[in-house]
Amino acid sequence: MPDSDSPGVLPADASSTGAVHSEIGGPALPAEAVAVVERWNPQGVALLRAMEQPGTGARVVLYAVDDANTTLLRTELARFEPRIDLADPAAPMSADDRPAALILFDAGSVLGADMLALIERLRAADQRIVLAMNGFHAYQDWQAIRERSRALLAARGIVDLDVLPVSARLAAAARAADDSALLDRSGLAALHAALAAATAQGPADGAQRRSAVLTRVLADTKARITEQITALRSGTDSARIREERVALLAERDGGRQTGLSAVRSQVQLARVDLSTEVGALVRALHTRSRAELDRCDRDELRAYPQRLQQAAADLSTAVDTVIDDRVIETARRVGTAAPAARRRDPAPRLGPDPAPRHRGVEDHLMIALGASAGVGLGRLVVAPLSLVPTLDVASVPVTLLLGAGAAYWVVRARAQLAERNHLSQWVAEALVNIKALLEQRVAAVLVDVEAELAEHVIRESTARAVAVDRRVAELDVLARRLVAERPAQLAACERDVAVLDRCAATIG
């Protein structure tokens, strides 16, 4: 049976129910038949009520954008009886002709200024207006758009004009599936009833036309009852309940195993990615350190351990940021909320400062080689002086001084190179220690994250399992109730069919 809250149902006025019954029923339609039609086919009651209202003429002028949706609505509306002729606004008409107007706009946008001006112009000409929004099925916020359109009309003092939601595509789908409930939800029957009311000529509209409409409404109502009888006898509802129950039992664990497997796989993937990222960051720092050591002088070499400690602290901060981002991404992939913010550990220490370099045999060897090279260089420089006998003796001290200076420079340069190599070796060892500490931090964080995500998955799966058990119990109760109520429902449906058959025989 149709739902009166669906967009396509015209609500009946409770205060006028008795009047409707007397007008529709009269000698042609008994009150019990009116009750059956009203219960099973509310749109049919609306159509019969529309046939009793005074209209403005037999034609309806359509004001709408000429697109595929409008064409589909014309096609589906033409399947209803009595047939509503939709004319073009440019079609010629007499001066006394005041046809009703159907204004159609898209359900995705509110009424515009041009359409509001058209409504005011038609109302000023005392034309009856039916306002509808087409394609509401495609927009989730169509109800809000409908209310905004109503507000725009009310702001202009138009409070007696409603906005009917319709969907020609839903009507086409209902016709293809032979689904009367979907047809009611499409709103097309409600639109047809409104247009029939706008074009009816009152009780004198024609006994033959009214009889044809009444016969169609009774046949449609009987078809709906027959459809319900077929469903009851075939046990379609019971089969659907059994299928739903089987599907629920298949997911009785609430997705716990699937969720835990996803947590484990994603945490392992995060561990691999973070270890690779930490290795890349440490290698980049090592490369940068070697380049800096090549440019350092003796004073800068002595202060370099402090610089490397600051670089390690910056590296630790970068790794913490990468870990946090990866944890959030892991939680998103698992489908759970991100874990709470973790406590940041202090930056890892490089370890003890480099030990002083001890002089070895190579240092003494460099002193000897430097002195020898210096003396040879001095002799080469003062060789021209030896040609002068008076300056030959003076060249000896010069030779010794040059030899000592060259030896001092060679020894100092060799010491700086040795110190640089010594410090470079210390940097490599320190960064290996830093890498190990950062990888340990990654592992510790991921262990905590895995435990927290697993706990979250278990909580959610437990809640889903409880909901599944509750729903299974509801389905069991519903299945037993359907079995118990089916005979009574079949008897009620058959009584309604008998009432309609008697009424149809009277009209025929």
Side-chain angles (χ1 to χ4, degrees):
M1 296 178 62
D3 183 6
S4 59
D5 293 332
S6 60
V9 175
L10 291 175
D13 187 359
S15 62
S16 61
T17 301
V20 170
H21 285 183
S22 62
E23 291 174 4
I24 295 176
L29 195 61
E32 59 177 353
V34 173
V36 172
V37 174
E38 195 167 25
R39 183 166 57 251
W40 289 95
N41 189 7
Q43 301 296 353
V45 173
L47 181 59
L48 293 176
R49 185 186 302 118
M51 298 298 295
E52 301 295 336
Q53 298 178 6
T56 60
R59 287 199 307 167
V60 175
V61 178
L62 176 62
Y63 296 90
V65 178
D66 188 10
D67 57 6
N69 288 330
T70 303
T71 302
L72 183 60
L73 184 136
R74 283 177 175 269
T75 303
E76 293 299 324
L77 196 60
R79 302 179 186 277
F80 287 81
E81 291 292 340
R83 185 181 180 88
I84 305 297
D85 294 327
L86 298 179
D88 189 85
M93 62 185 68
S94 63
D96 297 333
D97 190 7
R98 292 185 297 106
L102 171 58
I103 300 178
L104 196 66
F105 67 98
D106 187 73
S109 59
V110 298
L111 288 170
D114 294 340
M115 196 162 291
L116 290 172
L118 173 64
I119 293 173
E120 290 182 337
R121 178 167 57 82
L122 294 176
R123 286 172 64 88
D126 199 22
Q127 287 185 247
R128 192 162 183 175
I129 301 173
V130 177
L131 183 60
M133 53 191 297
N134 190 18
F136 71 90
H137 69 279
Y139 305 97
Q140 294 184 353
D141 59 341
W142 67 269
Q143 292 177 329
I145 294 175
R146 183 187 185 190
E147 292 302 322
R148 288 200 295 269
S149 298
R150 285 174 170 174
L152 290 174
L153 291 172
R156 295 176 176 254
I158 306 174
V159 296
D160 58 340
L161 185 60
D162 195 12
V163 180
L164 299 179
V166 297
S167 173
R169 295 192 181 275
L170 283 184
R175 176 174 51 81
D178 196 16
D179 189 345
S180 57
L182 183 59
L183 180 61
D184 290 341
R185 287 197 296 272
S186 71
L188 210 65
L191 176 62
H192 176 262
L195 294 176
T199 58
Q201 297 297 326
D205 192 29
Q208 185 176 3
R209 183 168 183 247
R210 185 178 182 281
S211 177
V213 172
L214 184 57
T215 301
R216 177 183 175 275
V217 169
L218 292 177
D220 186 25
T221 305
K222 182 178 178 180
R224 295 184 180 213
I225 301 175
T226 304
E227 178 183 344
Q228 181 66 17
I229 291 175
T230 303
L232 289 172
R233 288 177 176 171
S234 62
T236 304
D237 292 340
S238 299
R240 179 184 56 80
I241 291 175
R242 286 194 299 270
E243 291 176 359
E244 183 179 356
R245 189 178 187 277
V246 170
L248 288 173
L249 291 177
E251 301 177 356
R252 199 162 192 170
D253 68 337
R256 175 175 302 181
Q257 295 302 323
T258 302
L260 292 179
S261 298
V263 168
R264 285 192 293 269
S265 62
Q266 290 300 325
V267 169
Q268 291 298 328
L269 181 61
R271 180 176 287 109
V272 172
D273 291 344
L274 288 176
S275 298
T276 304
E277 185 70 20
V278 168
L281 291 175
V282 172
R283 285 194 298 272
L285 178 58
H286 193 192
T287 302
R288 189 167 64 252
S289 298
R290 288 202 306 268
E292 291 175 353
L293 287 175
D294 291 339
R295 294 191 296 269
C296 288
D297 55 20
R298 296 178 65 89
D299 295 334
E300 291 176 340
L301 288 176
R302 285 192 292 269
Y304 192 76
Q306 287 74 22
R307 291 177 56 185
L308 186 62
Q309 180 62 55
Q310 181 59 42
D314 297 339
L315 176 64
S316 176
T317 302
V319 169
D320 285 334
T321 301
V322 172
I323 291 175
D324 292 341
D325 294 341
R326 184 61 184 182
V327 167
I328 294 174
E329 177 66 16
T330 301
R332 186 190 65 80
R333 292 182 179 181
V334 173
T336 62
R342 63 182 179 88
R343 182 179 62 85
R344 295 290 183 90
D345 294 331
R349 302 296 301 175
L350 295 175
D353 290 339
R357 188 179 67 86
H358 299 287
R359 293 180 178 272
V361 178
E362 64 275 8
D363 294 292
H364 300 294
L365 180 62
M366 288 305 301
I367 292 174
L369 292 177
S372 175
V375 171
L377 180 63
R379 292 291 299 172
L380 181 64
V381 171
V382 299
L385 299 178
S386 61
L387 298 177
V388 182
T390 58
L391 297 179
D392 188 20
V393 178
S395 65
V396 174
V398 174
T399 301
L400 294 177
L401 289 175
L402 289 176
Y408 176 77
W409 179 83
V410 170
V411 171
R412 184 178 177 84
R414 175 65 182 83
Q416 183 173 351
L417 289 175
E419 187 68 27
R420 182 177 298 164
N421 292 334
H422 177 68
L423 191 58
S424 178
Q425 181 65 28
W426 175 82
V427 167
E429 295 174 355
L431 290 182
V432 168
N433 183 50
I434 291 294
K435 180 182 178 183
L437 293 175
L438 291 178
E439 289 178 345
Q440 181 182 3
R441 177 178 300 186
V442 168
V445 169
L446 291 182
V447 168
D448 294 338
V449 167
E450 183 175 4
E452 188 170 349
L453 292 180
E455 182 182 359
H456 189 81
V457 167
I458 291 174
R459 285 199 306 268
E460 289 187 346
S461 62
T462 301
R464 285 195 295 267
V466 171
V468 166
D469 290 340
R470 186 181 298 114
R471 179 57 181 167
V472 168
E474 292 175 354
L475 291 177
D476 292 338
V477 173
L478 181 58
R480 289 193 294 268
R481 191 182 68 188
L482 286 176
V483 172
E485 294 178 353
R486 185 174 296 131
Q489 291 178 349
L490 283 172
C493 291
E494 290 171 353
R495 285 196 300 270
D496 289 344
V497 170
V499 169
L500 294 180
D501 288 339
R502 289 196 300 269
C503 182
T506 302
I507 295 175

